[in-house]
């Protein structure tokens, strides 16, 4: 299917999945473990192991370097087959966004006034509308908490609320906590940013050598909130690369289509668009296609797109530790490429040691 066949290196990270309900076809959800589940003695027996370095994360880079040397030197072994490449990949799902709340709250009402199950794309095709009014939102059966209404009105109680679904933004922490509850981890991407500061200080986490992000606003915002503080604290240049193909599934939902490149860079001037990143969103035609009841991008095409992302990163990026900020369906496709299908909750993060072998 692609240039590389990917898999996970065994006995490096603990299993990070909840048990799926019996008979459930859905992928399992990753949960955040202490130190992201890196096993204390993952590298014992390796030529890179240093017993004088007690923090496992402080040893991970040397371990990956050793594996890559073996692959580059064509040393054939079970651990490092000929031509194999290795990277630690942090997968980060964007924080809680406006569409995350609305897509679970929109309901379809039948002619008798009975409320059916939440139906984000059915009925009046709410998902495909770029912007609706607050009244329309309620008309679709979605409850609007006072704190969210105040946020949407912005200019005051008499202001017209704009519910902008196109390239939906993150919600402020106080709104997310009111909706989800304060006990939910990472209600704000800034919380994970504070966690990174602690991970680097206490657990000697290595900062990513390269950061890649979806071009959608919620991922751009999440990337900045999570990584900008820790990069600044360690005098590292913060310059994420925007990758067009790292975006969410092309299913026509208005939230999954971006603004122009010039608008993005006006708000995120430190970000670097990949070569060939156009000003206009060349995927936006998919919204109208989806209105006909057919998604423009099939699940198989989505999985191929994520394979392309991984192929490019392993081909073009010589660094050992990378971070990808993306979306739920995209994370499912990426981990499927590792033969380990999982998803993440909003604002969640997981780490993997990935092996790439030429197909």
């Amino acid at each position: 299917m692609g240039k590389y066949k990917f898999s996970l290196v065994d006995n490096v990270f603990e299993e990070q999945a909840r048990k799926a309900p019996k008979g459930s076809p859905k992928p399992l959800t990753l949960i955040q473990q202490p130190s992201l589940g890196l096993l204390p003695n993952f590298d014992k027996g390796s030529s890179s192991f240093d017993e004088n370095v007690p923090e496992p994360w402080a040893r991970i880079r040397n371990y990956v370097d050793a594996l890559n040397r073996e692959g580059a030197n064509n040393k054939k072994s079970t651990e490092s087959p000929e031509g194999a490449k290795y990277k630690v990949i942090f997968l980060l799902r964007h924080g809680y966004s406006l569409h995350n709340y609305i897509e679970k709250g929109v309901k379809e009402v039948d002619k008798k006034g009975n409320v059916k199950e939440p139906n984000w794309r059915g009925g009046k095709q709410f998902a495909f509308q770029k912007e609706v009014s607050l009244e329309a939102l309620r008309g679709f059966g979605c409850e609007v908490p006072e704190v969210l209404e105040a946020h949407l009105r912005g200019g005051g109680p008499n202001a017209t609320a704009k519910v902008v679904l196109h390239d939906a933004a993150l919600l402020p922490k106080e709104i997310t906590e009111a909706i989800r509850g304060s006990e939910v981890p990472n209600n704000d991407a800034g919380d994970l940013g504070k966690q990174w500061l602690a991970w680097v200080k206490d657990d000697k986490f290595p900062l990513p050598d390269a950061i890649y992000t979806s071009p959608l606003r919620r991922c751009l915002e999440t990337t900045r909130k999570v990584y900008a503080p820790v990069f600044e604290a360690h005098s590292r240049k913060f310059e994420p690369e925007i990758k067009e193909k790292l975006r969410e599934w092309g299913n026509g939902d208005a939230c999954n289509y971006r603004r122009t490149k010039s608008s993005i860079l006006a708000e995120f001037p430190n970000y670097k668009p990949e070569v060939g990143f156009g000003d206009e969103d060349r995927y936006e035609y998919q919204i109208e296609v989806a209105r006909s009841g057919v998604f423009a991008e099939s699940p198989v095409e989505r999985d191929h797109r994520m394979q392309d992302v991984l192929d490019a990163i392993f081909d073009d990026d010589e660094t050992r530790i990378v971070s990808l900020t993306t979306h739920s369906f995209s994370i499912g496709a990426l981990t499927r490429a590792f033969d380990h299908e999982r998803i993440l909750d909003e604002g969640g993060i997981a780490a993997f040691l990935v092996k790439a072998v030429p197909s």
Side-chain angles (χ1 to χ4, degrees):
M1 182 171 99
K3 184 168 184 179
Y4 296 97
K5 179 176 176 55
F6 300 99
S7 61
L8 299 181
V9 179
D10 293 332
N11 303 315
V12 175
F13 291 96
E14 294 178 29
E15 179 57 58
Q16 300 180 29
R18 299 173 184 158
K19 290 184 178 180
K22 187 175 181 180
S24 172
K26 297 180 180 179
L28 303 182
T29 301
L30 289 162
I31 56 175
Q32 187 171 304
Q33 295 187 349
S35 201
L36 291 185
L38 184 63
L39 296 169
N41 294 315
F42 72 93
D43 55 344
K44 198 162 188 178
S46 166
S47 61
S48 69
F49 180 72
D50 186 347
E51 62 183 7
N52 296 315
V53 181
E55 301 89 353
W57 275 106
R59 304 194 306 268
I60 191 75
R61 189 185 296 278
N62 287 341
Y63 181 61
V64 176
D65 284 344
L67 290 174
N68 275 295
R69 282 194 299 272
E70 292 176 2
N73 293 332
N74 297 331
K75 179 181 178 181
K76 295 181 180 180
S77 68
T78 302
E79 292 76 21
S80 186
E82 184 175 351
K85 298 181 180 181
Y86 298 81
K87 291 185 189 294
V88 171
I89 294 181
F90 292 108
L91 282 185
L92 173 60
R93 184 179 174 190
H94 64 78
Y96 198 75
S97 179
L98 177 62
H99 77 285
N100 292 124
Y101 174 71
I102 294 176
E103 69 181 4
K104 296 177 179 65
V106 171
K107 301 174 178 63
E108 187 176 358
V109 181
D110 63 21
K111 293 180 180 179
K112 296 182 179 180
N114 298 317
V115 177
K116 301 180 181 180
E117 291 296 316
N119 193 345
W120 171 241
R121 299 180 184 89
K124 297 182 180 179
Q125 300 185 329
F126 184 85
F128 310 137
Q129 299 185 43
K130 292 186 176 182
E131 183 178 314
V132 296
S133 67
L134 185 61
E135 291 69 26
L137 182 59
R138 287 199 175 96
F140 287 121
C142 189
E143 296 181 4
V144 183
E146 290 184 7
V147 64
L148 178 57
E149 179 174 349
H151 171 70
L152 294 173
R153 289 196 180 279
N158 297 320
T160 301
K162 289 185 178 180
V163 184
V164 180
L165 294 174
H166 181 250
D167 200 4
L170 295 181
L171 287 173
K173 181 176 181 178
E174 62 271 16
I175 296 175
T176 303
E177 286 188 341
I179 292 171
R180 304 172 82 193
S182 59
E183 70 282 356
V184 175
N186 300 333
N187 259 317
D188 182 79
D191 293 340
L192 187 55
K194 294 174 183 176
Q195 180 67 72
W196 261 100
L197 288 165
W199 277 337
V200 174
K201 178 177 179 291
D202 300 332
D203 298 322
K204 304 300 184 286
F205 268 52
L207 289 176
D209 302 314
I211 300 173
Y212 299 99
T213 176
S214 158
L216 301 184
R217 182 195 304 241
R218 54 195 183 272
C219 285
L220 302 171
E221 290 180 345
T222 297
T223 298
R224 182 164 62 189
K225 285 189 170 188
V226 170
Y227 286 122
V230 70
F231 269 61
E232 181 180 352
H234 292 271
S235 301
R236 286 276 300 276
K237 187 177 182 180
F238 176 68
E239 191 180 47
E241 180 173 319
I242 305 171
K243 292 192 79 67
E244 187 79 277
K245 287 188 174 182
L246 199 50
R247 63 198 299 146
E248 183 56 296
W249 182 16
N251 59 7
D253 290 5
C255 58
N256 293 339
Y257 300 90
R258 66 170 173 87
R259 296 166 295 161
T260 62
K261 178 171 72 172
S262 52
S263 296
I264 291 172
L265 294 182
E267 186 175 354
F268 301 93
N270 294 336
Y271 289 49
K272 181 177 67 174
E274 66 181 342
V275 175
F277 190 85
D279 192 54
E280 299 294 329
D281 186 357
R282 63 188 178 92
Y283 290 100
E284 196 169 302
Y285 74 92
Q286 295 174 345
I287 298 177
E288 291 306 314
V289 173
R291 288 182 183 274
S292 67
V294 179
F295 290 170
E297 182 181 47
S298 71
V300 171
E301 289 169 331
R302 177 195 62 213
D303 287 3
H304 286 176
R305 178 162 54 84
M306 289 302 109
Q307 173 82 30
D308 289 345
V309 168
L310 291 171
D311 283 348
I313 289 174
F314 274 84
D315 252 359
D316 303 336
D317 187 337
E318 295 299 322
T319 64
R320 303 307 193 225
I321 299 175
V322 301
S323 177
L324 280 63
T325 310
T326 185
H327 311 262
S328 58
F329 283 113
S330 300
I331 289 169
L334 287 165
T335 57
R336 248 190 318 280
F338 309 156
D339 195 26
H340 187 84
E341 185 177 7
R342 298 291 185 265
I343 59 173
L344 283 163
D345 291 328
E346 296 92 349
I349 188 171
F352 304 87
L353 179 51
V354 179
K355 174 170 64 176
V357 179
S359 298

